[in-house]
């Protein structure tokens, strides 16, 4: 398990959290805000360890004391990771009730009980309302950490009771380097996965390990056909994409949605590359550099404005997907949107 010194790319967040501990000004709730796969949960667990470590060294947990060891083994009675239950999409009110039962008592062993809600935007409305009551008068020595992609997806009354800790997207070189060094992904593939992942290590890991990655050229060809072809082709593509599933889901999403999110990322990279070409950007910044002749050819038929519209169609679809809307409808609507953009050029 990582301690603060092992976490890369989040220096500001970590300096802030170390400062809290050094000054003993621990608040009752923190909002860790940033995209998935940038180290929010890892940082939250490192924070829980340092908060409770019996022998901290150089502003970091010792990794030796019982508290550190128990957290590391996942059996500390006061450290809770609250996630959607297996096969469910949401964090339920029962899970929030369970938190309420815990905080009715002092922590068993810890100086601070730490409860990590991941991702907080997956609380049902009922659960969020119940949680808000808990946040209104939290007993001392209880710390909540709410992981969230976009604080706008939470109740403003919850957001206003939390201290915000922003997490940045990770640098592309850092991600590529990690994939080659730690996961033995070949250099070319690591570089492309890192670029497509837009700053999320988690997403880069899925991408590098997903068959979608090898099939990228195929799917981009299908996208071009659908956008320039008949409605039947387009609806077929939407249906086919909506039934793909990841064999090894890695994130918080359902296997099917995770796959669609990857597909959307690939589509977006295509329009983003055309935009780059259109604006005369440096060619070495192209994501899909292996398909550059197709990109050059196709970008000629779009205006800059149209490409920006296409990217926003996909961004909206990604957002809808995060909010658990119907995947087939999302795919159909975004493909129709992209067709419309292509028609207007
Ligand atoms: Zn320790």
């Amino acid at each position: 398990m990582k301690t603060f010194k092992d976490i890369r790319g989040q220096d500001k967040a970590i300096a802030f959290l170390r400062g809290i501990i050094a000054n003993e000004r621990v608040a009752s709730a923190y909002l860790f805000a940033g995209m998935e796969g940038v180290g929010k949960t890892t940082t939250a667990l490192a924070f829980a360890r340092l908060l409770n470590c019996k022998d901290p060294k150089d502003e970091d947990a010792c990794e030796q004391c019982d508290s550190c060891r128990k957290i590391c083994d996942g059996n500390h009675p006061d450290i809770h990771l609250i996630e959607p239950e297996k096969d469910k999409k949401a964090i339920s009110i029962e899970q929030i009730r369970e938190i309420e039962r815990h905080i009715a008592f002092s922590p068993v062993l810890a100086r601070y009980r730490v409860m990590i809600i991941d991702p907080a935007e997956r609380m049902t409305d009922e659960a969020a309302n119940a949680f808000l009551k808990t946040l209104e008068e939290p007993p001392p020595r209880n710390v909540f950490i709410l992981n969230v992609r976009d604080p706008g997806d939470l109740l403003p009354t919850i957001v206003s009771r939390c201290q915000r800790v922003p997490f940045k997207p990770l640098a592309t070189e850092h991600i590529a380097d990690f994939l080659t060094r730690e996961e033995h992904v070949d250099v070319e593939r690591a570089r492309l996965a890192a670029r497509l992942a837009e700053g999320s290590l988690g997403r880069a890991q899925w991408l590098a390990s997903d068959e979608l990655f090898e099939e990228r050229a195929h799917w981009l060809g299908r996208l071009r056909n659908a956008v320039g072809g008949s409605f039947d082709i387009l609806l077929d593509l939407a249906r086919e994409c909506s039934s793909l599933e990841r064999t090894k889901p890695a994130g918080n999403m359902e296997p099917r949605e995770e796959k669609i999110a990857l597909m959307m990322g690939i589509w977006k990279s295509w329009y983003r590359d055309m935009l780059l070409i259109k604006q005369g950007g440096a060619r070495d910044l192209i994501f899909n550099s292996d398909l550059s002749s197709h990109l050059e050819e196709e970008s000629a038929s779009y205006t800059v404005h149209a490409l920006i519209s296409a990217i926003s169609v996909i961004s909206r679809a990604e957002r809808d997907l995060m909010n658990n809307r119907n995947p087939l409808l999302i795919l159909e609507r975004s493909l129709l949107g992209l067709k419309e953009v292509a028609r207007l050029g």
Side-chain angles (χ1 to χ4, degrees), residues 53-55 61-65 68:
C53 178
K54 305 214 163 97
D55 187 20
C62 74
E63 305 183 73
Q64 307 290 329
C65 69
C68 282

Side-chain angles (χ1 to χ4, degrees), residues 47-89:
F47 183 53
R49 284 208 290 170
L50 183 53
L51 266 178
N52 288 299
C53 178
K54 305 214 163 97
D55 187 20
K57 292 184 181 76
D58 303 326
E59 296 188 291
D60 225 336
C62 74
E63 305 183 73
Q64 307 290 329
C65 69
D66 347 315
S67 169
C68 282
R69 291 239 278 274
K70 282 201 156 66
I71 298 176
C72 208
D73 297 341
N75 59 12
H76 195 297
D78 299 312
I79 310 299
H80 304 280
L81 183 59
I82 298 114
E83 299 171 301
E85 284 169 346
K86 208 168 167 10
D87 303 325
K88 299 224 175 87
K89 288 181 179 180

Side-chain angles (χ1 to χ4, degrees), residues 62-253:
C62 74
E63 305 183 73
Q64 307 290 329
C65 69
D66 347 315
S67 169
C68 282
R69 291 239 278 274
K70 282 201 156 66
I71 298 176
C72 208
D73 297 341
N75 59 12
H76 195 297
D78 299 312
I79 310 299
H80 304 280
L81 183 59
I82 298 114
E83 299 171 301
E85 284 169 346
K86 208 168 167 10
D87 303 325
K88 299 224 175 87
K89 288 181 179 180
I91 294 173
S92 66
I93 187 155
E94 288 75 31
Q95 290 174 281
I96 302 300
R97 293 268 145 77
E98 171 118 24
I99 293 182
E100 289 167 3
R101 281 193 287 277
H102 286 305
I103 68 172
F105 301 96
S106 303
V108 183
L109 299 175
R111 218 171 314 156
Y112 292 95
R113 178 188 284 124
V114 179
M115 290 154 286
I116 303 160
I117 304 188
D118 179 42
E121 65 268 37
R122 289 290 178 99
M123 284 189 278
T124 62
D125 292 350
E126 254 186 324
N129 280 311
F131 182 66
L132 178 60
K133 298 220 176 64
T134 308
L135 264 188
E136 275 165 2
E137 282 176 58
R141 297 170 58 207
N142 284 292
V143 178
F144 290 104
I145 297 175
L146 280 70
N147 287 348
V148 66
R149 184 185 170 89
D150 176 354
D153 293 335
L154 292 179
L155 292 174
T157 39
I158 289 183
V159 174
S160 67
R161 285 180 169 79
C162 300
Q163 279 196 27
R164 196 180 294 207
V165 185
F167 280 69
K168 291 201 301 190
L170 303 173
T172 306
E173 310 80 73
H174 164 65
I175 295 176
D177 187 49
F178 181 91
L179 290 177
T180 44
R181 210 160 21 85
E182 306 285 329
E183 310 212 336
H184 312 293
V185 175
D186 74 59
V187 176
E188 191 63 18
R189 184 177 178 131
R191 196 177 298 147
L192 189 53
R195 284 177 168 184
L196 290 174
E198 297 180 13
S200 162
L201 177 59
R203 187 176 279 208
Q205 285 170 312
W206 312 341
L207 264 176
S209 67
D210 198 278
E211 60 275 22
L212 205 56
F213 198 87
E214 268 102 46
E215 298 163 0
R216 187 173 39 87
H218 163 78
W219 288 106
L220 286 171
R222 298 278 306 272
L223 172 68
R224 295 206 302 278
N225 281 340
V227 163
S230 70
F231 281 103
D232 286 346
I233 296 178
L234 185 145
L235 297 178
D236 278 347
L237 178 62
R239 208 168 310 124
E240 199 177 328
C241 290
S242 78
S243 62
L244 295 170
E245 270 194 17
R246 259 181 76 75
T247 38
K248 287 181 287 176
N252 288 318
M253 281 192 268

Side-chain angles (χ1 to χ4, degrees), residues 2-11 14 38-39 42-43 168 170-171 174 178 181 201:
K2 286 182 176 170
T3 62
F4 279 161
K5 67 177 177 316
D6 309 315
I7 297 172
R8 301 276 170 267
Q10 301 300 350
D11 298 354
I14 286 167
V38 296
T42 308
T43 305
K168 291 201 301 190
L170 303 173
H174 164 65
F178 181 91
R181 210 160 21 85
L201 177 59

